[in-house]
Short mmCIF file of all heavy atoms in Angstrom, two decimals:
data_model
loop_
_atom_site.label_atom_id
_atom_site.label_comp_id
_atom_site.label_asym_id
_atom_site.label_seq_id
_atom_site.Cartn_x
_atom_site.Cartn_y
_atom_site.Cartn_z
N THR A 28 95.69 117.78 102.96
CA THR A 28 96.88 117.98 103.77
C THR A 28 96.94 119.33 104.45
O THR A 28 97.51 119.46 105.50
CB THR A 28 98.18 117.74 102.96
OG1 THR A 28 98.14 118.60 101.84
CG2 THR A 28 98.34 116.33 102.51
N GLY A 30 94.10 121.58 104.72
CA GLY A 30 92.78 122.10 105.19
C GLY A 30 92.32 123.14 104.20
O GLY A 30 93.01 123.59 103.29
N ARG A 32 91.40 126.42 104.66
CA ARG A 32 92.05 127.70 104.72
C ARG A 32 93.54 127.63 104.40
O ARG A 32 94.13 128.59 103.83
CB ARG A 32 91.89 128.35 106.12
CG ARG A 32 90.45 128.72 106.43
CD ARG A 32 90.45 130.01 107.28
NE ARG A 32 91.31 131.08 106.75
CZ ARG A 32 91.50 132.21 107.29
NH1 ARG A 32 91.00 132.50 108.45
NH2 ARG A 32 92.38 133.10 106.76
N GLY A 33 94.12 126.51 104.72
CA GLY A 33 95.55 126.39 104.46
C GLY A 33 95.88 126.18 102.99
O GLY A 33 96.91 126.51 102.54
N ARG A 116 86.71 121.10 112.17
CA ARG A 116 86.46 122.51 112.23
C ARG A 116 85.08 122.90 112.39
O ARG A 116 84.64 124.03 112.10
CB ARG A 116 87.05 123.15 110.95
CG ARG A 116 88.50 123.62 111.14
CD ARG A 116 89.36 123.20 109.96
NE ARG A 116 90.78 123.26 110.28
CZ ARG A 116 91.39 122.47 111.15
NH1 ARG A 116 90.70 121.58 111.89
NH2 ARG A 116 92.71 122.50 111.40
N ARG A 130 72.30 111.21 109.40
CA ARG A 130 71.55 110.78 110.58
C ARG A 130 70.47 109.77 110.19
O ARG A 130 70.26 108.76 110.90
CB ARG A 130 70.92 112.03 111.28
CG ARG A 130 70.16 111.55 112.47
CD ARG A 130 69.70 112.68 113.38
NE ARG A 130 69.01 112.06 114.54
CZ ARG A 130 68.45 112.80 115.51
NH1 ARG A 130 68.51 114.12 115.45
NH2 ARG A 130 67.82 112.24 116.49
N PRO A 151 73.93 92.62 123.41
CA PRO A 151 73.31 93.96 123.38
C PRO A 151 74.36 95.05 123.76
O PRO A 151 75.21 94.93 124.55
CB PRO A 151 72.28 93.88 124.51
CG PRO A 151 72.74 92.73 125.35
CD PRO A 151 73.49 91.84 124.46
N ASP A 153 74.55 99.81 122.81
CA ASP A 153 73.92 100.91 122.07
C ASP A 153 74.38 100.91 120.65
O ASP A 153 75.56 101.15 120.37
CB ASP A 153 74.23 102.21 122.80
CG ASP A 153 73.50 103.36 122.18
OD1 ASP A 153 73.61 103.60 120.94
OD2 ASP A 153 72.71 104.02 122.91
N HIS A 155 74.07 103.09 118.23
CA HIS A 155 74.72 104.31 117.73
C HIS A 155 76.18 104.37 118.17
O HIS A 155 77.06 104.66 117.36
CB HIS A 155 73.97 105.52 118.29
CG HIS A 155 72.69 105.79 117.57
ND1 HIS A 155 71.48 105.34 118.06
CD2 HIS A 155 72.43 106.46 116.43
CE1 HIS A 155 70.49 105.72 117.20
NE2 HIS A 155 71.05 106.42 116.18
N HIS A 156 76.40 104.13 119.42
CA HIS A 156 77.81 104.17 119.89
C HIS A 156 78.63 103.04 119.29
O HIS A 156 79.85 103.18 119.08
CB HIS A 156 77.82 104.08 121.42
CG HIS A 156 77.34 105.36 122.05
ND1 HIS A 156 78.13 106.43 122.29
CD2 HIS A 156 76.06 105.70 122.45
CE1 HIS A 156 77.40 107.38 122.84
NE2 HIS A 156 76.14 106.97 122.97
N TYR A 168 93.25 104.95 111.77
CA TYR A 168 94.41 104.46 111.06
C TYR A 168 94.77 105.32 109.79
O TYR A 168 95.90 105.40 109.36
CB TYR A 168 94.26 103.02 110.68
CG TYR A 168 94.34 102.09 111.90
CD1 TYR A 168 93.21 101.68 112.57
CD2 TYR A 168 95.61 101.64 112.31
CE1 TYR A 168 93.29 100.83 113.66
CE2 TYR A 168 95.70 100.81 113.46
CZ TYR A 168 94.59 100.46 114.12
OH TYR A 168 94.65 99.62 115.23
N ALA A 177 104.63 106.22 113.73
CA ALA A 177 105.61 106.59 114.65
C ALA A 177 105.74 105.65 115.83
O ALA A 177 106.82 105.26 116.26
CB ALA A 177 105.48 108.01 115.18
N VAL A 178 104.60 105.18 116.29
CA VAL A 178 104.56 104.26 117.43
C VAL A 178 104.92 102.85 117.07
O VAL A 178 105.69 102.20 117.78
CB VAL A 178 103.19 104.33 118.17
CG1 VAL A 178 103.07 103.25 119.17
CG2 VAL A 178 102.97 105.73 118.82
N ARG A 183 106.37 97.13 110.89
CA ARG A 183 105.10 96.40 111.04
C ARG A 183 104.07 96.79 109.99
O ARG A 183 103.98 97.92 109.54
CB ARG A 183 104.59 96.68 112.44
CG ARG A 183 105.47 96.14 113.50
CD ARG A 183 105.05 96.50 114.88
NE ARG A 183 103.76 95.87 115.22
CZ ARG A 183 103.24 95.94 116.44
NH1 ARG A 183 103.91 96.55 117.45
NH2 ARG A 183 102.04 95.45 116.70
N GLU A 188 97.57 94.27 110.55
CA GLU A 188 97.37 94.16 111.93
C GLU A 188 96.08 94.82 112.45
O GLU A 188 95.34 94.23 113.25
CB GLU A 188 98.55 94.83 112.76
CG GLU A 188 99.86 94.12 112.61
CD GLU A 188 101.02 94.79 113.37
OE1 GLU A 188 100.66 95.73 114.16
OE2 GLU A 188 102.18 94.40 113.18
N HIS A 196 88.35 92.30 117.95
CA HIS A 196 87.72 93.21 118.89
C HIS A 196 86.22 93.18 118.84
O HIS A 196 85.55 92.93 119.80
CB HIS A 196 88.19 94.64 118.55
CG HIS A 196 88.94 95.27 119.71
ND1 HIS A 196 88.59 96.43 120.32
CD2 HIS A 196 90.01 94.82 120.37
CE1 HIS A 196 89.39 96.80 121.23
NE2 HIS A 196 90.25 95.78 121.32
N ARG A 199 84.60 89.96 119.92
CA ARG A 199 84.39 89.82 121.38
C ARG A 199 83.28 90.73 121.90
O ARG A 199 82.55 90.35 122.85
CB ARG A 199 85.73 90.19 122.14
CG ARG A 199 86.86 89.21 121.85
CD ARG A 199 88.11 89.61 122.68
NE ARG A 199 89.24 88.83 122.17
CZ ARG A 199 90.48 89.05 122.62
NH1 ARG A 199 90.70 89.98 123.48
NH2 ARG A 199 91.43 88.27 122.16
N VAL A 200 83.16 91.86 121.33
CA VAL A 200 82.04 92.77 121.75
C VAL A 200 80.67 92.30 121.36
O VAL A 200 79.79 92.46 122.16
CB VAL A 200 82.30 94.16 121.12
CG1 VAL A 200 81.08 95.07 121.32
CG2 VAL A 200 83.52 94.81 121.77
N ARG A 204 77.69 85.68 124.88
CA ARG A 204 78.24 84.64 125.69
C ARG A 204 77.27 84.09 126.65
O ARG A 204 76.42 84.79 127.17
CB ARG A 204 79.49 85.06 126.42
CG ARG A 204 79.86 86.47 126.36
CD ARG A 204 81.09 86.64 127.18
NE ARG A 204 81.60 87.99 127.10
CZ ARG A 204 82.61 88.37 127.78
NH1 ARG A 204 83.20 87.48 128.66
NH2 ARG A 204 83.03 89.62 127.71
N ASN A 209 80.21 83.94 137.63
CA ASN A 209 81.51 84.29 138.19
C ASN A 209 82.42 84.86 137.14
O ASN A 209 83.65 84.93 137.34
CB ASN A 209 82.12 83.08 138.86
CG ASN A 209 82.45 82.04 137.86
OD1 ASN A 209 82.10 82.12 136.71
ND2 ASN A 209 83.23 81.02 138.27
N THR B 28 90.18 125.66 116.43
CA THR B 28 89.04 125.65 115.46
C THR B 28 89.50 125.99 114.06
O THR B 28 88.83 125.48 113.08
CB THR B 28 88.05 126.69 115.86
OG1 THR B 28 88.63 127.95 116.02
CG2 THR B 28 87.37 126.30 117.16
N GLY B 30 92.94 125.67 112.89
CA GLY B 30 94.18 125.07 112.47
C GLY B 30 95.26 126.12 112.41
O GLY B 30 95.00 127.32 112.50
N ARG B 32 97.37 127.14 110.00
CA ARG B 32 97.40 128.06 108.83
C ARG B 32 96.13 128.90 108.82
O ARG B 32 96.12 130.08 108.38
CB ARG B 32 97.54 127.28 107.48
CG ARG B 32 98.91 126.66 107.33
CD ARG B 32 99.27 126.75 105.85
NE ARG B 32 99.07 128.05 105.28
CZ ARG B 32 99.28 128.37 104.00
NH1 ARG B 32 99.72 127.46 103.17
NH2 ARG B 32 99.12 129.58 103.57
N GLY B 33 95.04 128.34 109.27
CA GLY B 33 93.81 129.10 109.18
C GLY B 33 93.72 130.18 110.28
O GLY B 33 93.02 131.19 110.09
N ARG B 116 97.63 116.82 109.79
CA ARG B 116 98.46 117.53 108.79
C ARG B 116 99.86 116.98 108.72
O ARG B 116 100.77 117.61 108.23
CB ARG B 116 98.46 119.01 109.07
CG ARG B 116 97.33 119.70 108.28
CD ARG B 116 96.65 120.70 109.16
NE ARG B 116 95.38 121.17 108.63
CZ ARG B 116 94.30 120.31 108.44
NH1 ARG B 116 94.43 119.04 108.73
NH2 ARG B 116 93.16 120.78 108.02
N ARG B 130 106.52 107.27 121.70
CA ARG B 130 106.76 105.90 121.44
C ARG B 130 107.39 105.15 122.61
O ARG B 130 106.93 104.01 122.98
CB ARG B 130 107.70 105.74 120.26
CG ARG B 130 107.90 104.31 119.88
CD ARG B 130 108.62 104.10 118.57
NE ARG B 130 108.73 102.61 118.38
CZ ARG B 130 109.33 102.07 117.34
NH1 ARG B 130 109.85 102.80 116.42
NH2 ARG B 130 109.40 100.77 117.26
N PRO B 151 94.16 87.96 125.56
CA PRO B 151 95.28 88.40 124.74
C PRO B 151 94.76 89.16 123.54
O PRO B 151 93.77 88.87 122.88
CB PRO B 151 95.90 87.07 124.32
CG PRO B 151 94.80 86.04 124.41
CD PRO B 151 93.93 86.54 125.56
N ASP B 153 96.77 92.48 120.67
CA ASP B 153 98.02 93.29 120.47
C ASP B 153 97.94 94.53 121.31
O ASP B 153 97.04 95.36 121.12
CB ASP B 153 98.10 93.65 118.97
CG ASP B 153 99.43 94.37 118.71
OD1 ASP B 153 99.65 95.46 119.31
OD2 ASP B 153 100.21 93.85 117.92
N HIS B 155 99.59 97.31 121.44
CA HIS B 155 99.72 98.60 120.71
C HIS B 155 98.32 98.99 120.10
O HIS B 155 97.85 100.10 120.28
CB HIS B 155 100.78 98.58 119.64
CG HIS B 155 102.15 98.64 120.18
ND1 HIS B 155 102.93 97.56 120.43
CD2 HIS B 155 102.91 99.73 120.52
CE1 HIS B 155 104.10 97.90 120.89
NE2 HIS B 155 104.11 99.27 120.98
N HIS B 156 97.74 98.04 119.44
CA HIS B 156 96.46 98.32 118.77
C HIS B 156 95.37 98.56 119.84
O HIS B 156 94.45 99.33 119.59
CB HIS B 156 96.09 97.22 117.79
CG HIS B 156 96.98 97.20 116.58
ND1 HIS B 156 96.70 97.96 115.45
CD2 HIS B 156 98.11 96.59 116.28
CE1 HIS B 156 97.63 97.75 114.53
NE2 HIS B 156 98.53 96.92 115.06
N SER B 160 93.11 101.82 120.13
CA SER B 160 91.65 101.82 120.15
C SER B 160 91.15 102.71 121.28
O SER B 160 90.09 103.38 121.14
CB SER B 160 91.17 100.38 120.28
OG SER B 160 91.44 99.83 121.58
N LEU B 164 88.80 105.83 120.23
CA LEU B 164 87.39 105.87 120.74
C LEU B 164 87.16 107.06 121.66
O LEU B 164 86.07 107.64 121.60
CB LEU B 164 87.11 104.54 121.50
CG LEU B 164 87.00 103.30 120.62
CD1 LEU B 164 87.01 102.03 121.45
CD2 LEU B 164 85.74 103.39 119.79
N TYR B 168 84.98 111.33 120.44
CA TYR B 168 83.87 112.12 120.96
C TYR B 168 84.20 113.60 121.10
O TYR B 168 83.33 114.42 121.11
CB TYR B 168 83.44 111.53 122.33
CG TYR B 168 82.69 110.23 122.18
CD1 TYR B 168 83.38 109.00 122.24
CD2 TYR B 168 81.36 110.19 121.91
CE1 TYR B 168 82.69 107.83 122.09
CE2 TYR B 168 80.67 108.99 121.74
CZ TYR B 168 81.36 107.82 121.84
OH TYR B 168 80.69 106.61 121.66
N ALA B 177 75.18 115.56 115.83
CA ALA B 177 74.19 115.61 114.73
C ALA B 177 73.46 114.21 114.69
O ALA B 177 72.28 114.18 114.42
CB ALA B 177 74.88 115.90 113.40
N VAL B 178 74.19 113.17 114.91
CA VAL B 178 73.59 111.83 114.76
C VAL B 178 72.73 111.55 116.02
O VAL B 178 71.64 111.00 115.90
CB VAL B 178 74.68 110.77 114.58
CG1 VAL B 178 74.05 109.38 114.68
CG2 VAL B 178 75.30 110.94 113.20
N ARG B 183 70.25 113.53 123.95
CA ARG B 183 71.01 112.49 124.60
C ARG B 183 72.28 112.97 125.26
O ARG B 183 72.95 113.92 124.71
CB ARG B 183 71.29 111.39 123.61
CG ARG B 183 70.01 110.69 123.07
CD ARG B 183 70.26 109.67 121.96
NE ARG B 183 71.10 108.58 122.46
CZ ARG B 183 71.29 107.51 121.74
NH1 ARG B 183 70.78 107.39 120.56
NH2 ARG B 183 72.06 106.56 122.20
N GLU B 188 76.74 108.45 127.97
CA GLU B 188 76.61 107.22 127.21
C GLU B 188 77.95 106.71 126.69
O GLU B 188 78.13 105.44 126.71
CB GLU B 188 75.71 107.55 125.98
CG GLU B 188 74.23 107.83 126.31
CD GLU B 188 73.41 108.13 125.06
OE1 GLU B 188 73.92 107.94 123.98
OE2 GLU B 188 72.27 108.61 125.24
N ARG B 199 84.32 93.66 127.61
CA ARG B 199 84.14 92.42 126.79
C ARG B 199 85.43 92.05 126.02
O ARG B 199 85.72 90.89 125.81
CB ARG B 199 83.03 92.69 125.72
CG ARG B 199 81.62 92.84 126.42
CD ARG B 199 80.55 93.02 125.34
NE ARG B 199 79.31 93.42 126.00
CZ ARG B 199 78.18 93.78 125.30
NH1 ARG B 199 78.24 93.79 123.99
NH2 ARG B 199 77.14 94.14 125.93
N VAL B 200 86.16 93.04 125.63
CA VAL B 200 87.41 92.75 124.86
C VAL B 200 88.46 92.10 125.76
O VAL B 200 89.20 91.24 125.38
CB VAL B 200 87.97 94.06 124.26
CG1 VAL B 200 89.36 93.88 123.74
CG2 VAL B 200 87.02 94.47 123.09
N ARG B 204 87.59 84.81 128.90
CA ARG B 204 86.41 83.87 129.00
C ARG B 204 86.87 82.43 128.98
O ARG B 204 87.91 82.11 128.39
CB ARG B 204 85.43 84.02 127.86
CG ARG B 204 85.70 85.04 126.83
CD ARG B 204 84.51 85.00 125.95
NE ARG B 204 84.70 85.95 124.92
CZ ARG B 204 83.80 86.10 123.91
NH1 ARG B 204 82.75 85.28 123.83
NH2 ARG B 204 83.97 86.96 122.99
N ARG B 205 86.08 81.64 129.61
CA ARG B 205 86.41 80.24 129.62
C ARG B 205 86.35 79.69 128.21
O ARG B 205 85.45 80.09 127.42
CB ARG B 205 85.33 79.48 130.46
CG ARG B 205 85.92 79.14 131.86
CD ARG B 205 84.83 78.86 132.83
NE ARG B 205 84.45 80.01 133.64
CZ ARG B 205 85.24 80.97 134.04
NH1 ARG B 205 86.51 80.88 133.76
NH2 ARG B 205 84.79 81.99 134.84
#
Side-chain angles (χ1 to χ4, degrees):
Chain A
T28 53
R32 290 217 49 184
R116 269 134 198 67
R130 181 170 181 181
D153 186 301
H155 284 97
H156 290 272
Y168 288 93
V178 170
R183 297 175 62 172
E188 291 180 10
H196 240 237
R199 293 184 192 173
V200 167
R204 3 182 177 174
N209 67 349
Chain B
T28 55
R32 289 217 49 183
R116 270 135 197 64
R130 183 172 180 180
D153 186 301
H155 284 96
H156 290 273
S160 69
L164 290 169
Y168 288 93
V178 170
R183 297 175 62 171
E188 291 180 10
R199 292 183 193 173
V200 166
R204 0 183 179 174
R205 258 160 267 323

